[in-house]
């Protein structure tokens, strides 16, 4: 391991937080290098303003402070008072009541006023194990826990918007029938809303404003669990995970370790800032924050305490809470060294991959932040998968902005080569050693337009966010197809529906790990808002009342996921090699509209927007498989000749984006037969 953080594995950091012993005592351990005193303040369980005792902590090895007492038991609210020197970079105030960074339960005494609570972690998993879905079979479903369940008619109202709601049979039935294998939840670590949003009458709905890295967000628990306290909330969370696992569904958490809810200097003082500001946050020599997250502060993972905190939090969620994977928000921040430069071999990034307690856990990086040198797509090391923004941009361009350009200019700005490279796994972004499964492909995510809005709006409509339209991305690569937003023009609506099918078809038939955004399977809208982070309302809650066209779109998603599962040629684990067979890769042949081998000139020709993509699997543990995918990217009819390929006697139709409802009739074509596409579209065949 590199020497930047030699103390990351130090035993001095073991058992931070509260540890209970069999003799009824509990020990609290807190790290602070610069503090001069730390005290544990105990509060009455029924009155969080009534301090009933204050116990001093003693400094020990590694600047870890400790106290052992019989007065700290399950359900006891407590906080810390920390004092220290008044120097640049320090912000000590012994009057502040601070949270233990390792607290597994939190209770609120009012706005910005928090207490830690000891929880009972005992839970019977009943023999239900993690599903351990292989990466090549993984289909991720990104969702907001509350928004997903808030309006579901078959979930009891008392469970709407809750952990128990997600674990309800009705929600599990939707996920399993769709065919996804993992639910990726927007942040469920305890978080709070920024004062700026509260002043605007808005809320931090997405949750990217972490208060505590070990406690589940209390507002996502049922009223009954909240009344029962933090232990009941933890148990409801575990029941949700257990129910999803029993159905074969994995749970991935979107985790925000790059910054905290303490914001900029002068923001809330809830924990890290008052315990050891220099130790936890990136700063200049004068104490000014180095903000590479755009959120006011950046956690300094170049220090042993901050890096170990992240690692310990991951261990807790992966073991005690049985979480299957993590998507790391602004992961480039976690990989910045003491000079604030990104290092793919950063000790924390390597420790996350190498830690035995995290073995088999999926690790997905959002491979960028807003600091200098922050865009790092393709640069994370072995063991990591990454959100592939290059994929998103190329696919949007091909089916949307390029088509829009062609309407206006009479010709396309680019050919099909860049899109085809993304379809085949983005080998120009990820190394041969890492392979196509290093990339998580997506067309939409929580941040940005929904799928339906992507084909319905040319520009964002964010006035409701209270920032005069300044927030949210301006470059969306979207296309409204002739009318901005709502329209009754059936011709425009039909083109929008087909564009959604083309985008979903590309996503689910590409090499790599596909991620669907919740609600896109039935075309939900946010009325053109591409940054709805501050709306906890019907704008962001999924509607479960669907028009016939929405039911058709969902049927296409189900069909595509089934075909992906049944055809290993669509989900290779490795990149193919030109001259030798590679196990679990897919060898690829490219053909033009006439069924001829694609030439370099045609590959790069902007006038060519038609391609036939033939993939042949080289499986290690599945039957051999061959597929052909036709892609046509012009708004004009095309006649495409199926290629004559050695060993192929017929082509069996599996799916077409031209159909409003998936037919799946498996009609057969012979090599050399003509296939018609009346407009932009895709057609998938099995080669036999």
């Amino acid at each position: 391991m590199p020497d930047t953080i030699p103390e990351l594995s130090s035993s001095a950091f073991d058992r931070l937080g509260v540890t209970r012993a069999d003799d009824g005592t509990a020990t609290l351990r807190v790290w602070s290098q610069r503090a001069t005193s730390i005290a544990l303040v105990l509060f009455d369980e029924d009155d969080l303003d009534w301090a009933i005792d204050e116990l001093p902590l003693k400094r020990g090895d590694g600047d870890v402070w400790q106290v052992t007492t019989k007065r700290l038991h399950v359900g006891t609210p407590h906080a810390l008072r920390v004092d220290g020197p008044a120097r640049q970079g320090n912000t000590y105030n012994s009057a502040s009541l601070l949270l233990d960074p390792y607290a597994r339960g939190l209770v609120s005494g009012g706005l910005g006023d928090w207490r830690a609570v000891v929880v009972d972690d005992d839970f019977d998993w009943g023999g239900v194990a993690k599903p351990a879905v292989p990466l090549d079979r993984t289909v991720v479903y990104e969702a907001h826990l509350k928004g997903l369940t808030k309006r579901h008619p078959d979930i009891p109202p008392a469970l709407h918007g809750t952990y128990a709601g997600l674990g309800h049979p009705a929600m599990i039935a939707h996920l399993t029938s769709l065919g996804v294998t993992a639910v990726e939840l927007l942040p469920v670590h305890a978080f709070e809303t920024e004062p700026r949003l509260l002043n605007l009458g808005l809320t931090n709905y997405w949750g990217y404003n972490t208060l505590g890295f070990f406690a589940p967000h209390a507002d996502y628990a049922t009223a009954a669990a909240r009344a029962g306290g933090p232990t009941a909330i933890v148990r409801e969370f575990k029941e949700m995970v257990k129910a999803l696992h029993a159905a074969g569904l994995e749970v991935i958490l979107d985790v925000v370790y790059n910054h905290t809810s303490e914001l900029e200097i002068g923001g809330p003082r809830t924990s890290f800032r008052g315990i050891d500001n220099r130790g936890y946050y990136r700063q200049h020599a004068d104490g000014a924050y180095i903000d590479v997250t755009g959120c006011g502060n950046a956690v300094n993972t170049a220090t042993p305490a901050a890096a170990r905190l992240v690692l310990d939090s991951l261990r807790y969620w992966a073991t005690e809470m049985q979480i299957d994977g993590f998507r790391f928000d602004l992961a480039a921040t976690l990989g910045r060294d003491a000079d604030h430069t990104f290092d793919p071999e950063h000790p924390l990034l390597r420790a996350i991959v190498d830690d035995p307690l995290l073995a088999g856990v999926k690790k997905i990086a959002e491979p960028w932040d807003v600091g200098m040198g922050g865009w790092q797509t393709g640069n994370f090391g072995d063991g990591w998968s990454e959100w592939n923004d290059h994929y998103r941009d190329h696919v949007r361009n091909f089916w949307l902005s390029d088509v829009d350009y062609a309407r206006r200019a009479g010709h396309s700005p680019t050919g099909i080569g860049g899109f085809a490279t993304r379809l085949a796994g983005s080998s120009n972004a990820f190394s041969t050693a890492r392979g196509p499964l290093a990339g998580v492909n997506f067309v939409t995510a929580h941040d940005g337009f929904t799928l339906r809005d992507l084909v319905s709006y040319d520009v964002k409509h964010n006035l409701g966010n209270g920032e005069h339209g300044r927030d949210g991305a301006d470059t969306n690569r979207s296309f409204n197809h002739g009318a901005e937003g709502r329209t009754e023009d059936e011709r425009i609506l039909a083109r929008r529906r087909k564009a959604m099918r083309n985008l979903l078809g590309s996503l689910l038939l590409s090499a790599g790990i596909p991620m669907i955004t919740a609600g896109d399977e039935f075309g939900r809208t946010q009325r053109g808002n591409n940054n709805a982070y501050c709306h906890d309302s019907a704008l962001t809650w999924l509607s479960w009342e669907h028009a016939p066209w929405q039911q058709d779109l969902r049927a296409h998603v189900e069909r595509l996921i089934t075909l992906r599962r049944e055809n290993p040629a669509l989900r290779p684990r490795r990149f193919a090699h030109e001259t030798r067979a590679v196990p679990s890769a897919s060898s690829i042949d490219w053909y033009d509209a006439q069924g001829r081998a694609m030439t370099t000139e045609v590959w790069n020709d902007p006038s060519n927007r038609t391609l036939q993509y033939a993939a042949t699997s080289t499986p290690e543990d599945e039957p051999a498989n061959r597929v052909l995918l036709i892609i046509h990217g012009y708004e004009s009819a095309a006649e495409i000749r199926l290629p004559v390929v050695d060993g192929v006697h017929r082509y069996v139709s599996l799916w077409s984006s031209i159909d409003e409802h998936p037919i799946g009739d498996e009609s057969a074509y012979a090599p050399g037969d003509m296939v018609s596409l009346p407009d932009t579209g895709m057609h998938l065949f099995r080669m036999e």
Side-chain angles (χ1 to χ4, degrees), residues 194-343:
E194 300 90 326
R196 178 186 63 82
L197 289 177
L198 292 174
N199 290 336
L200 292 171
L202 299 171
T203 186
N204 189 320
Y205 174 66
W206 285 350
Y208 292 88
N209 199 44
T210 308
L211 176 70
F213 294 117
F214 290 79
H217 191 59
D219 286 349
Y220 292 158
T222 58
R226 294 198 303 273
T231 291
I233 293 170
V234 168
R235 286 179 177 165
E236 183 177 308
F237 185 96
K238 290 179 177 179
E239 289 287 0
M240 172 198 75
V241 174
K242 181 179 177 180
L244 291 167
H245 282 178
L249 293 163
E250 294 187 314
V251 182
I252 298 172
L253 299 187
D254 194 335
V255 287
V256 189
Y257 295 114
N258 59 81
H259 75 281
T260 78
S261 61
E262 291 186 312
L263 306 176
E264 65 281 339
I265 292 289
R269 182 198 306 268
T270 53
S271 182
F272 307 97
R273 178 170 290 146
I275 293 173
D276 199 307
N277 192 47
R278 276 287 190 194
Y280 281 112
Y281 294 122
R282 295 186 180 274
Q283 300 175 37
H284 294 287
D286 63 359
Y289 280 171
I290 298 172
D291 179 11
V292 297
T293 68
C295 301
N297 65 59
V299 173
N300 188 4
T301 53
T303 70
R308 183 63 181 266
L309 174 81
V310 173
L311 192 60
D312 286 344
S313 172
L314 293 170
R315 290 166 168 170
Y316 173 72
W317 289 93
T319 57
E320 186 63 42
M321 306 294 256
Q322 288 289 286
I323 293 302
D324 305 277
F326 302 95
R327 179 268 188 187
F328 294 81
D329 182 64
L330 301 183
T333 298
L334 305 184
R336 291 184 179 270
D337 60 20
D339 295 323
H340 317 297
T341 300
F342 177 78
D343 177 7

Side-chain angles (χ1 to χ4, degrees), residues 40-100:
L40 168 65
V41 185
L42 303 176
F43 293 87
D44 183 81
E45 292 188 21
D46 297 319
D47 186 349
L48 297 181
D49 291 324
W50 184 9
I52 57 177
D53 205 353
E54 189 163 320
L55 307 173
L57 277 69
K58 181 180 179 181
R59 186 195 293 266
D61 293 341
D63 296 311
V64 173
W65 301 66
Q66 178 173 315
V67 64
T68 299
T69 176
K70 286 192 173 183
R71 303 202 61 185
L72 192 59
H73 51 78
V74 171
T76 300
H78 57 280
L80 302 171
R81 292 193 191 276
V82 184
D83 204 357
R87 297 173 184 165
Q88 283 186 330
N90 294 339
T91 56
Y92 289 108
N93 185 338
S94 60
S96 298
L97 293 171
L98 305 172
L99 291 172
D100 166 20

Side-chain angles (χ1 to χ4, degrees), residues 348-375:
L348 175 59
L349 298 184
R350 294 314 313 160
I352 290 171
V353 170
D354 296 337
D355 194 302
L357 294 177
L358 301 178
V361 172
K362 294 175 171 65
K363 296 120 181 150
I364 302 170
E366 182 184 38
W368 52 77
D369 63 19
V370 301
M372 185 70 70
W375 223 262

Side-chain angles (χ1 to χ4, degrees), residues 601-684:
E601 291 76 17
V602 174
W603 183 269
N604 296 315
D605 184 355
S607 67
N608 175 53
R609 301 274 290 177
T610 306
L611 175 77
Q612 299 189 73
Y613 162 76
T616 302
S617 71
T618 54
E620 296 173 272
D621 48 20
E622 296 181 83
N625 173 237
R626 304 177 80 176
V627 296
L628 178 79
L629 180 62
I630 297 175
I631 299 136
H632 177 57
Y634 260 132
E635 288 187 309
S636 59
E639 292 292 322
I640 297 146
R641 187 181 302 278
L642 295 173
V644 177
V645 180
D646 289 345
V648 175
H649 305 290
R650 66 172 188 163
Y651 293 88
V652 178
S653 176
L654 299 177
W655 174 82
S656 171
S657 68
I658 300 300
D659 303 323
E660 287 281 358
H661 186 87
I663 297 174
D665 61 351
E666 299 208 354
S667 54
Y669 295 75
D673 282 357
M674 304 300 292
V675 175
S676 298
L677 289 177
D679 201 339
T680 58
M682 308 176 73
H683 199 146
L684 179 69

